[in-house]
Every structure is written in C-alpha cells, then in structure tokens.
Amino acid sequence: MTEFQRLSLHVPEPAVRPGGTPDFSNVSIAKAGAVARPPVDSAPEDIRDLAYSIIRVLNREGEAVGPWAGFLSDDELLTGLRHMMKLRTFDARMLMAQRQGKTSFYMQHLGEEAVSCAFRKALRNGDMNFPTYRQAGLLIADDYPMEEMMNQIFSNESDPLRGRQLPVMYSSREHGFFTISGNLSTQYVQAVGWAMASAIKNDTKIAAAWIGDGSTAESDFHSALVFASTYKAPVILNIVNNQWAISTFQGIARGGSGTFAARGLGFGIPALRVDGNDYLAVHAVSLWAAERARRNLGPTLIEYVTYRVGAHSTSDDPSAYRPKTESEAWPLGDPVLRLKKHLIAKGAWSESRHVQAEAEILDEVLDAQKRAEAHGTLHAGGKPSVRDIFDGVYADMPAHIRRQRQEAGY
Amino acid sequence: MARMTMIEAVRSAMDVSMERDDDVVVFGEDVGYFGGVFRCTQGLQAKYGKTRCFDAPISESGIVGTAIGMAAYGLKPCVEIQFADYMYPAYDQITQEAARIRYRSNGDFTCPIVLRMPTGGGIFGGQTHSQSPEALFTHVCGLKVVVPSNPYDAKGLLIASIEDPDPVIFLEPKRLYNGPFDGHHEKPVTPWSKHDLGEVPEGHFSIPIGKAEIRKPGSAVTVIAYGTMVHVALAAAEETGVDAEVIDLRSLLPLDLDTIVQSVNKTGRCVVVHEATLTSGFGAEVAALVQQHCFYHLEAPIVRVTGWDTPYPHAQEWDYFPGPARVGRALVDVMGA
Ligand SMILES: Cc1ncc(C[n+]2csc(CCOP(=O)(O)OP(=O)(O)O)c2C)c(N)n1
C-alpha cells in the first residue's frame, strides 16, 4: 500500500562496550606534518578541510615535523613538559586526598594535560578564559599557586572562594580564569560576550571559551557560535573532544556531522581539528587562532581530539560503560610521554633528568599539599566560617540576610 | 512486596509502567546503557530496547522539547533531568510550552510528560548539585509538582505521574535515595530496608497526586513538610517531645489544603519546613493559605524553617540545611508563643 517501509529510530552506539576489544582503526588520523598551515587571514571556505583532518606535529619517532612545527624553543618545551607533569602529579595527589575523605569530589585531567597547558602559552596577560572543570592546566601553566588550588579543593579556612564552590571550580581574574559554573556550557556564550566587550572598548585582549564534546549539545554552544560569527568576536572557541561525556560516547552529541569542528563551518567560523595529545600541535594551533583574534579577524573554533583516560569524576566508574583497555588502544598516545620523547630525541632531555624532575615535582606538590592541609581539609581542621555563607550574595548585605545570619548565630 | 531503596522504587515504577504500556519511553543524559548517574534507570534499556530507553545529548531544552513532541504524537515520555539544578536550560520548554499546551490548544494537544529530577542537598554537591527549585514550578499553572519522601510513595506517585494526562515535575530528594535522613549528618543513615516504607509492592499500584499524608498524629502543633524535611520534622518532634502532627505534603501542586486546614484547626499552631530558600519559597504559599483558612484557630504566628537566602555552600552545607535543631527550636518557640 505504501512504497515506504515502517520508520525506526536511530540511536547511536559506541563501537565497543565492556568486555569487547577496543578498536580505533576507524579513527582516521593524518600523518604528523601533513596538514597545511594557511595564513591567519584565510577565508573560512578556503580552509574547510582543516575541520575534518587532524593537525599534528610530533611523529612516531618524536620528531617535530611539518608547517605547524617550530614555534617553541627547547626551554619553552621543557617548561611545557614540567607543567603537564605537575598537573598529572597534582591530580594524582588530589584524587588520593578525595579517597582519603579530605574532600568531597575531584576531577582529573589524565591524558588531556597538553590541551590546557599548551593553550595557556598562546595567551597573554589580560586575556580571559571561560573554562569548564577540566582546564586546571590553564592555572598550572600560568604559575597559579598549587597551594591555593588545594585550599579551594579542601574548602578550608584559606579557600579563596570561602567554601562556597565545589572542588576544582576555581576562579581567578588575575590569572584569566573566569569562575566555573556547574551548569554546563553557560560559559561558552559568556566568553563571546567578553570578547565583544573587548572589541567594543577597542581593547587588545581576547577571550577563550572552553567546552567538552558532550556539552556542545547545549543551546548555549549554538548561541555562542551565532554571536561570535555575527559580531566577529575576538574569541577562541575550544572544544575538548575526549570521546566521553560521563557514560555517553561522543557520537551522541555529534550525531551525523563529521566532526565537532565542522559545527563551526555553518556559521562561517574557521574551524580546525588538532591532535590534543601533541603539546606542540596544540600550542601552534592556539597561537594561530590567537593571532587571528588579535588581528581582529574574528573567532576560530578548535576541536582538540584527545581521550579521557581517567574517570569522569570521583563519582564515576568508567568500567561500567567502556572497555578497561580502551585508553591504551587510543591511537594518539600520552601527551607527557610524547613530549618527553621529543625532547630526548632532540638531546634536550634524558630519562634520568625526567626521573629527577618527577621527584622534584612530587616534592613540590607534597609541599603545597602540606601547607594547604595545615589550613584544614573538608572534614578536619580550619574551615571557612558559617558567616561566609551570608556574605557576598549581594554587594551590600540586605537586612533580611543579616537577620538570617544572626539567626544562624553569627 | 519487596524491600526497596527509593532508587529501586523509582526504577520499579518505570519498569512496571513500561511493561504495561508500550507508549512509555524513558530518556535523558546517561540513562541508557549506564542506567543513570544515580542508577535509577539501570536495566531498562536491556529489557525494553534502546528505542524505549536511551541516552540523550546534553541538552535539557532539547530533551524536554522532544519529550513534548513525543507526547503530542501520543507517547508518554518519562524523562530524567540529571540534577534538578540542570533544568534551567529547559525552563522555557517546561513553563511556556509543556505547561500550556492543553490550555492554549483548547485540549487539541496535551502533554502527558514526567520530568524526574534529583533535588536537595546533604551530599556535598555545592551550589549546583543541591538546589530545591520547587517554587519555580509551583508558580506555573498547568504543571503538577510531586515530591515523595519514601520508596513506597516514590513508586506509587511516579506511576500516577506517568499515567497522569498532564505534565508532572517529579522531584526526587537525593538525600533519601538510600535511606530516610533525619538531619543528623554525623550519624550513619539507616537503610530503607530497616524502615516500613521501604516495603513496596512489586507490581502496579498508584497513589493519587494531590493527597497529603499524616506521618505522625499530634495535637500541639502542625508541622508541614515534604521530601527530606519530613524526616527532619519527625526527628525534631521526637527530640523536643513536642506533640507535633507531621504532614507530608507529597504533592505541592495540586495541594491537599483540606488535610492542612483540618490539622491546623485542631492544633492551632503551624510550622512549615523546607530546604529551599525562604524568600518566595513554597512555604510562603502554605503560610498564606493557613493564615486565610485557619485564622480564627491560630494561637501563634505561623513559622517557616528553611534554607537561608543564599546559594547552597559546599563546605558549610550542614549549617545551611535546616536540621532537627533549627526545626526543634521553632517548635519550642511556637509552643511558647
Ligand atoms: C546543564 C547541565 N546538564 C548536565 C550536567 C551534568 N554533567 C556534568 S559533566 C557532564 C558530562 C560532560 O561531558 P563533556 O562535555 O564531554 O565534558 P568532559 O566531562 O568529557 O570533559 C554532565 C552531563 C551539568 N553539569 N550541567
């Protein structure tokens, strides 16, 4: 009677589930050095292919190759390595602290260290990030004191945020780190607004927006693209594609589109994909986008292709939804090991210096932790005062809140 | 009958409903393969297939908007919003769309959807995992708002919500997921398996929306609470020895005014307790109704015990949470008034 078959709903599924064998052979990865580096003032339609390929600098041998190589000195690379190692050590210690009941919650970066650490080096003082919870590397790479980060994580008496925010939801205007919201994606469009303001005031500062692959499904992501595109805001629109949004694989948010970067194309925003585990590539691409923004050429969208090796947060058990060995099968390797290999290949680093650096960094982190813990942890020692609950809801405390503070005994 | 936690009861309600009615579909963030971050939907995808229980993109307005469309087609979507704190992106779809479709189309289209959302604090969730937004919904005509305080009610009310022809906001106090919580955070929670209301029928049953329940009869003062605060109120009554009648509202919209009025007319005193902030909170509505309907029986001013008018702090949450000490103080005060 009808020429059509009955309809059926398509629900995307990841290739493998626990018990299966991870297989990333379908992930097409350009050879290091193979992708062109167009001039920053290229028209978006001329560089469409950059939204579908993957820009890579470090090859398997640890050499830096191709047009995106050569933007960092050995010293800068060594600093970058140190930042990533610091972030990794910091994470390991804080994860342990959470397990020991010193805080309620923690989110680590394992496998994603290159993204935020390398990006920070493309920014200047005064630029502003609008981060989510997996960009602590922006602070580490800007030498924000680890002790302060820990004070925040422990919600202790020295917590700069007075015990108000969840752990890892840092805030530092001075270090270009906008206060983190628990509600996903809201910051994305705010970053565009900040960048528009900088342009309105004929300033020279630029903004960077951060979002995870899963969160690109939120309307705020799309609103941000509309505004950035319409006003050519000086903003870098970052998407960290770490393959997973809690238990949900990236295909649920991406749907039929080829890549997350390709989302920018419909808005006329130049879009690039980059190997997120390649410190050099991340830095080079960030620098390219930052230059575009600074030259008033408008927004750039960057998709960082990476893998979330750790759990989503301390409340998550990834073995319930993906094979345990999936991270080992991830074809882009480990960002720390790759940069280390590169530096060793260049003769700027050695195994023994690496071991020594690991020990130094651990000492540094432990020292910060000791100092932070002296100010208390979530359930022991110094705490922010109950008084602090009532401060700062408004600039001036209205009478009704003052009454409530008194009722609470403060 | 079986012993269930509130999580299991909620899951069982969806299971029973999906089994009885092919039109019931369940979706939301992480609810499919993984079974939800609180595991409320665990096993449903395996049992009913991935077109009846599936993962949604992280897009609350997308989730609610598509649920509305599905309902217009004739399905009965029971949707999970991962935390109530994350319904805000969907607020437009909930309040201007779902709530009004029946009215504005003169019944041509209806919106039988359920939006389940974990609410409330006490789990160190900080300001964006602890909110109690019920008043934002009770102000909207066209919605129903339900808050269970135990597994038995959770199952019966959720089944009623799924079968309801109108949109229902189903708020699940996450502090009660594993056992009743009496406000003593330093004491371990006794699991629901040690509690009468953890005894839940395995099959289909429902509890009418709009009926309150008297949890403890008393004659000196009426305590009106819902969700987690029912347990706190019971603890406060016990600790102070005040002969309080504790009413569990169960449904905020529609509200069981008769039970409230009868009780307050009997006791002559009224304390309203909720976790949400004081100002323009649901307690204001209850207090105004009590004042209007029980004025000549009141022997003391109506008192509200609530969260403070601040965002929910992470470190000091036990000073924010209205515990038995604060509720007890209010009980003693109204008795002395
Ligand atoms: C508006 C909103 N909806 C849901 C959540 C709950 N939630 C927190 S993190 C997360 C997953 C985010 O995944 P993705 O964007 O891919 O970032 P990733 O964690 O992988 O870095 C979800 C659903 C939230 N915080 N805010």
Side-chain angles (χ1 to χ4, degrees):
Chain A
M1 179 186 95
T2 161
E3 59 186 299
F4 300 112
Q5 297 203 334
R6 285 180 166 278
L7 301 166
S8 65
L9 185 69
H10 168 70
V11 181
E13 275 293 320
V16 273
R17 284 299 193 183
T21 310
D23 176 15
F24 287 109
S25 55
N26 60 332
V27 181
S28 79
I29 291 171
K31 271 181 66 173
V35 179
R37 184 176 187 277
V40 291
D41 58 355
S42 301
E45 54 274 21
D46 295 339
I47 56 171
R48 287 179 68 89
D49 54 324
L50 293 185
Y52 294 97
S53 192
I54 298 186
I55 295 164
R56 302 175 64 227
V57 171
L58 290 175
N59 68 15
R60 276 183 205 292
E61 282 68 52
E63 297 156 343
V65 293
W68 294 88
F71 291 92
L72 288 165
S73 68
D74 286 0
D75 270 355
E76 287 168 324
L77 288 173
L78 285 167
T79 306
L81 180 65
R82 206 165 253 274
H83 288 150
M84 290 198 287
M85 292 168 71
K86 216 186 219 185
L87 180 54
R88 190 168 287 189
T89 310
F90 183 91
D91 273 348
R93 290 301 306 178
M94 290 300 101
L95 199 62
M96 203 188 301
Q98 192 276 339
R99 299 269 185 260
Q100 294 165 337
K102 291 174 182 170
T103 188
S104 56
F105 173 83
Y106 191 70
M107 297 181 99
Q108 52 172 341
H109 305 73
L110 195 60
E112 300 179 40
E113 292 89 346
V115 176
S116 50
C117 288
F119 183 89
R120 186 65 190 84
K121 289 302 180 191
L123 292 188
R124 298 191 178 165
N125 283 345
D127 295 340
M128 186 62 74
N129 286 287
F130 287 74
T132 78
Y133 42 70
R134 235 183 281 280
Q135 281 86 44
L138 296 172
L139 290 172
I140 296 268
D142 201 44
D143 294 322
Y144 183 81
M146 285 189 291
E147 182 186 338
E148 288 290 284
M149 293 167 75
M150 290 170 176
N151 287 337
Q152 197 281 327
I153 290 165
F154 293 140
S155 275
N156 65 20
E157 66 190 8
S158 296
D159 172 5
L161 306 180
R162 314 308 298 140
R164 291 174 185 154
Q165 274 276 56
L166 268 189
V168 315
M169 304 234 172
Y170 315 104
S171 171
S172 171
R173 175 186 278 278
E174 194 193 330
H175 289 264
F177 197 95
F178 188 73
T179 161
I180 294 183
S181 171
N183 289 58
L184 296 172
S185 312
T186 50
Q187 75 286 354
Y188 219 65
V189 63
Q190 294 161 4
V192 175
W194 195 99
M196 287 168 64
S198 182
I200 289 168
K201 300 299 269 181
N202 309 121
D203 201 344
T204 58
K205 299 178 194 123
I206 65 170
W210 292 90
I211 203 164
D213 48 282
S215 306
T216 60
E218 292 283 8
S219 320
D220 281 342
F221 170 75
H222 302 89
S223 308
L225 265 54
V226 171
F227 278 74
S229 154
T230 298
Y231 299 106
K232 297 208 181 309
V235 62
I236 307 176
L237 301 162
N238 297 301
I239 303 172
V240 182
N241 176 4
N242 65 6
Q243 312 301 316
W244 290 94
I246 311 189
S247 76
T248 305
F249 89 116
Q250 45 93 20
I252 287 282
R254 182 171 48 77
S257 101
T259 65
F260 287 99
R263 294 261 192 259
L265 297 181
F267 293 88
I269 298 176
L272 298 77
R273 280 178 102 216
V274 57
D275 176 348
N277 291 14
D278 179 339
Y279 186 94
L280 285 83
V282 169
H283 178 265
V285 167
S286 313
L287 208 60
W288 188 90
E291 189 183 336
R292 268 181 54 78
R294 288 191 213 289
R295 288 212 203 158
N296 213 26
L297 294 165
T300 306
L301 188 148
I302 306 174
E303 175 185 347
Y304 303 84
V305 183
T306 180
Y307 188 87
R308 192 195 82 215
V309 176
H312 169 75
S313 75
T314 45
S315 314
D316 174 47
D317 171 16
S319 70
Y321 54 79
R322 66 186 190 188
K324 282 204 170 83
T325 52
E326 197 180 85
S327 63
E328 290 152 37
W330 177 244
L332 294 176
D334 177 316
V336 174
L337 296 184
R338 282 175 69 190
L339 183 54
K340 172 188 164 194
K341 184 172 179 180
H342 172 62
L343 286 164
I344 291 177
K346 283 187 98 177
W349 197 234
S350 70
E351 285 291 351
S352 62
R353 283 162 79 183
H354 194 80
V355 171
Q356 192 190 337
E358 271 174 344
E360 282 164 19
I361 287 167
L362 181 61
D363 276 352
E364 210 182 315
V365 174
L366 287 175
D367 185 51
Q369 187 174 356
K370 211 195 258 158
R371 279 182 279 124
E373 286 190 12
H375 296 292
T377 58
L378 182 60
H379 301 296
K383 277 187 187 329
S385 164
V386 172
R387 238 187 132 80
D388 287 322
I389 300 179
F390 301 92
D391 276 338
V393 183
Y394 303 96
D396 295 317
M397 190 180 292
H400 71 283
I401 297 188
R402 182 161 298 119
R403 270 196 303 277
Q404 292 182 15
R405 190 186 73 194
Q406 280 156 7
E407 202 186 318
Y410 292 84
Chain B
M1 292 289 242
R3 294 286 183 178
M4 294 186 193
T5 63
M6 200 194 271
I7 291 173
E8 288 160 346
V10 163
R11 184 189 304 148
S12 173
M14 286 186 274
D15 188 4
V16 166
S17 305
M18 291 174 91
E19 185 140 34
R20 279 167 62 103
D21 185 348
D22 285 345
D23 289 339
V24 177
V25 293
V26 166
F27 66 108
E29 293 158 21
D30 298 294
V31 305
Y33 184 87
F34 185 56
V37 292
F38 290 102
R39 318 322 299 271
C40 289
T41 57
Q42 195 170 30
L44 297 180
Q45 184 175 73
K47 188 162 172 192
Y48 298 102
K50 64 178 191 180
T51 59
R52 287 191 64 203
C53 175
F54 53 90
D55 287 330
I58 305 172
S59 174
E60 291 74 14
S61 83
I63 291 168
V64 177
T66 51
I68 293 170
M70 289 178 201
Y73 175 89
L75 297 186
K76 292 178 187 149
C78 176
V79 150
E80 176 173 305
I81 301 292
Q82 200 156 76
F83 284 84
D85 316 59
Y86 302 141
M87 64 77 193
Y88 297 96
Y91 198 62
D92 184 43
Q93 287 288 349
I94 298 171
T95 61
Q96 321 265 1
E97 303 302 322
R100 293 188 188 170
I101 280 169
R102 174 185 297 280
Y103 188 77
R104 77 186 191 203
S105 71
N106 195 25
D108 198 11
F109 294 96
T110 61
C111 191
I113 65 175
V114 179
L115 307 179
R116 294 180 36 243
M117 2 186 147
T119 53
I123 60 154
F124 283 104
Q127 51 184 311
T128 49
H129 295 77
S130 308
Q131 293 169 29
S132 299
E134 59 271 15
L136 296 178
F137 297 119
T138 55
H139 194 56
V140 179
C141 12
L143 299 178
K144 294 184 178 177
V145 180
V146 174
V147 191
S149 71
N150 59 68
Y152 182 87
D153 283 6
K155 177 163 177 184
L157 287 165
L158 182 53
I159 290 175
S161 301
I162 292 171
E163 291 170 358
D164 196 280
D166 284 309
V168 179
I169 308 291
F170 194 84
L171 303 175
E172 298 169 6
K174 45 190 174 293
R175 200 65 181 83
L176 301 180
Y177 269 158
N178 293 306
F181 174 66
D182 64 6
H184 295 283
H185 62 276
E186 63 283 6
K187 281 199 253 164
V189 174
T190 45
W192 280 114
S193 58
K194 298 213 165 61
H195 205 270
D196 284 350
L197 292 164
E199 185 90 357
V200 182
E202 278 169 276
H204 178 275
F205 76 103
S206 67
I207 294 174
I209 296 173
K211 283 256 164 290
E213 179 85 356
I214 295 175
R215 290 287 164 217
K216 174 192 165 311
S219 59
V221 47
T222 300
V223 184
I224 300 171
Y226 50 91
T228 312
M229 288 301 133
V230 171
H231 305 275
V232 173
L234 290 168
E238 195 184 313
E239 282 165 29
T240 53
V242 172
D243 182 21
E245 177 147 297
V246 177
I247 298 181
D248 177 354
L249 291 178
R250 301 203 293 197
S251 157
L252 309 189
L253 187 64
L255 182 69
D256 184 354
L257 187 58
D258 290 347
T259 299
I260 295 173
V261 170
Q262 257 174 32
S263 175
V264 179
N265 282 350
K266 179 179 77 179
T267 62
R269 292 178 163 85
C270 179
V271 173
V272 191
V273 191
H274 60 62
E275 234 185 290
T277 9
L278 178 78
T279 301
S280 300
F282 190 68
E285 177 65 28
V286 175
L289 286 167
V290 169
Q291 202 275 348
Q292 183 186 347
H293 293 276
C294 310
F295 181 69
Y296 295 107
H297 293 84
L298 282 175
E299 290 166 37
I302 305 157
V303 173
R304 290 177 285 165
V305 185
T306 70
W308 308 118
D309 281 340
T310 75
Y312 210 113
H314 171 248
Q316 311 95 326
E317 71 170 11
W318 301 116
D319 298 288
Y320 184 90
F321 204 88
R326 268 166 70 196
V327 178
R329 218 179 304 142
L331 291 182
V332 171
D333 283 356
V334 287
M335 290 316 296

